[in-house]
Amino acid sequence: MIERIGVPAEDVTENSVFIKLGLESIDAVLVSGEVEDEFGVELSPSAIFDHETLGGFTAEVVRLMEAQ
């Protein structure tokens, strides 16, 4: 994801807000697909915006993985 939005990795923390990083809706679609492929969870692209920080989004992915 970091490569997709062009933000240096050292500038991204768990409290980083996706919109402030420049994440757009097409990025959300692509990232959600990548997460589904990598972690085997079904994820709506809106989940990125529903959980606006990296930490919140990560927690949602973990929750979905544990629910399987």
Side-chain angles (χ1 to χ4, degrees):
M1 176 179 60
I2 292 170
E3 303 84 27
R4 184 172 317 291
I5 58 177
V7 175
E10 59 271 7
D11 292 345
V12 179
T13 70
E14 69 179 69
N15 296 317
S16 294
V17 177
F18 289 125
I19 298 218
K20 289 183 180 179
L21 292 174
L23 191 79
E24 297 179 0
S25 359
I26 187 65
D27 300 315
V29 171
L30 296 171
V31 168
S32 66
E34 291 171 2
V35 169
E36 286 180 13
D37 292 345
E38 182 70 26
F39 300 103
V41 295
E42 189 171 326
L43 188 67
S44 166
S46 67
I48 290 176
F49 298 110
D50 292 341
H51 307 279
E52 64 183 29
T53 64
L54 179 58
F57 179 67
T58 301
E60 176 63 5
V61 172
V62 169
R63 184 191 71 75
L64 292 170
M65 290 172 57
E66 290 173 345
Q68 291 184 355

